[in-house]
Amino acid sequence: MQNTTLAIRTQQLTRRYKQVTAVDGLDLAVRRGEIYGFLGANGAGKTTTMKMLVGLLQPDAGQVWVDGHEMWSASASLAAKAALGYVADRTMLYERLTGREFLAFLAQLRGIPRHQADERIEQLLAILDLNERAESACGAYSFGMKRKLALAGALVHQPAVLILDEPLNGLDPVSARRLKDLFIELASGGTSIFLSTHDLATAESICHRVGIIQRGRLLVEGSAAELRQLATASNLEDVFLTLTAREMEATI
């Protein structure tokens, strides 16, 4: 796969915590316009990987490229970070700001002209059903509303790459459906989406490919159909359980 077709690439990405190797020589390649599901049990290395992808955690070894820019290169790091939007597993907001003020602040940090920012913010508030609470302080938002506002913040600069850690966590079924439709729409327009989720039915329904990580290593990747065939399973949940169990048995 040529580098020009890739939105995210890692090479031998590694991170250790004292005696524990959380991510071990990870090679990933995510295409432009692809929704890539990153699956794994708790402690498998998903969040550590994502923090290295977005520049929050420096690898002990290996490299990361986002939209063709090397994340940990002094000359390219800013361009890599400018190309991505990130929603962490734990939502971090300025709770005294209103939802609209929070988005305007992020737009200003991104250097978006005021008139363009105002138009973009209105679009995002409407898309994510936040209009009615746009003038309320973020601290008064429900958990699900905070998740949606964090996503709006990640989208305000129209990034080429979205990296999302459990983006549907805490959302009601209607909001979750709207976000899944939004992800599909964004990908069809060329945005690449790298998401971790424990909702395997969601991964199966919207992801072009999924990768399963276990003990810091990529166990297997492919389309849901390819993995079902590999594991002789009828759905992605059974694939996950079967393949991870096989790997555990092989290491005992």
Side-chain angles (χ1 to χ4, degrees):
M1 195 181 303
Q2 297 298 314
N3 291 348
T4 55
T5 70
L6 298 180
I8 299 171
R9 183 165 72 94
T10 72
Q11 184 176 31
Q12 291 297 293
L13 193 63
T14 302
R15 175 71 190 195
R16 302 180 185 89
Y17 296 101
K18 296 183 179 179
Q19 303 303 314
V20 177
T21 301
V23 178
D24 189 4
L26 187 63
D27 293 331
L28 290 171
V30 180
R31 305 178 183 100
R32 299 185 188 277
E34 179 176 39
I35 304 177
Y36 186 98
F38 196 47
L39 312 181
N42 291 335
K46 300 189 305 298
T47 295
T48 297
T49 298
M50 297 176 94
K51 287 183 176 179
M52 290 190 285
L53 293 183
V54 302
L56 291 177
L57 189 64
Q58 187 162 3
D60 290 312
Q63 296 172 297
V64 176
W65 291 266
V66 175
D67 199 34
H69 308 288
E70 189 176 348
M71 176 59 71
W72 294 100
S73 164
S75 61
S77 180
L78 286 178
K81 291 175 182 176
L84 65 84
Y86 172 55
V87 178
D89 58 337
R90 297 183 180 181
T91 304
M92 301 293 290
L93 306 174
Y94 293 97
E95 299 208 338
R96 293 187 179 182
L97 296 180
T98 68
R100 190 185 303 278
E101 288 170 343
F102 174 72
L103 296 178
F105 172 67
L106 294 181
Q108 187 176 11
L109 288 180
R110 293 286 187 176
I112 303 172
R114 178 64 181 271
H115 70 282
Q116 292 181 16
D118 288 345
E119 181 179 349
R120 179 65 173 161
I121 288 167
E122 289 302 322
Q123 292 173 348
L124 291 169
L125 291 172
I127 290 169
L128 294 168
D129 197 26
L130 291 170
N131 269 322
E132 290 187 6
R133 299 295 300 276
E135 310 307 330
S136 298
C138 296
Y141 281 21
S142 68
F143 181 83
M145 290 180 64
K146 287 180 178 180
R147 295 294 290 169
K148 290 195 289 184
L149 185 62
L151 178 59
L155 289 169
V156 73
H157 61 299
Q158 298 179 289
V161 178
L162 267 179
I163 297 178
L164 310 173
D165 200 349
E166 295 291 345
L168 304 181
N169 187 25
L171 297 184
D172 61 80
V174 173
S175 295
R177 178 70 264 176
R178 286 178 177 172
L179 286 198
K180 287 186 279 189
D181 289 343
L182 175 61
F183 296 157
I184 293 169
E185 181 181 347
L186 289 169
S188 68
T191 302
S192 303
I193 301 175
F194 184 93
L195 65 88
S196 75
T197 181
H198 287 117
D199 185 344
L200 301 184
T202 290
E204 187 161 15
S205 66
I206 70 170
C207 293
H208 299 102
R209 289 188 302 143
V210 298
I212 299 175
I213 185 174
Q214 187 166 354
R215 296 180 176 177
R217 291 178 175 270
L218 192 63
L219 180 60
V220 67
E221 71 175 355
S223 69
E226 290 169 341
L227 296 190
R228 287 197 302 269
Q229 184 175 10
L230 178 66
T232 318
S234 61
N235 57 63
L236 194 54
E237 180 179 8
D238 289 342
V239 168
F240 179 84
L241 294 173
T242 298
L243 294 180
T244 54
R246 284 180 188 172
E247 178 66 13
M248 290 292 291
E249 291 171 1
T251 59
I252 294 175

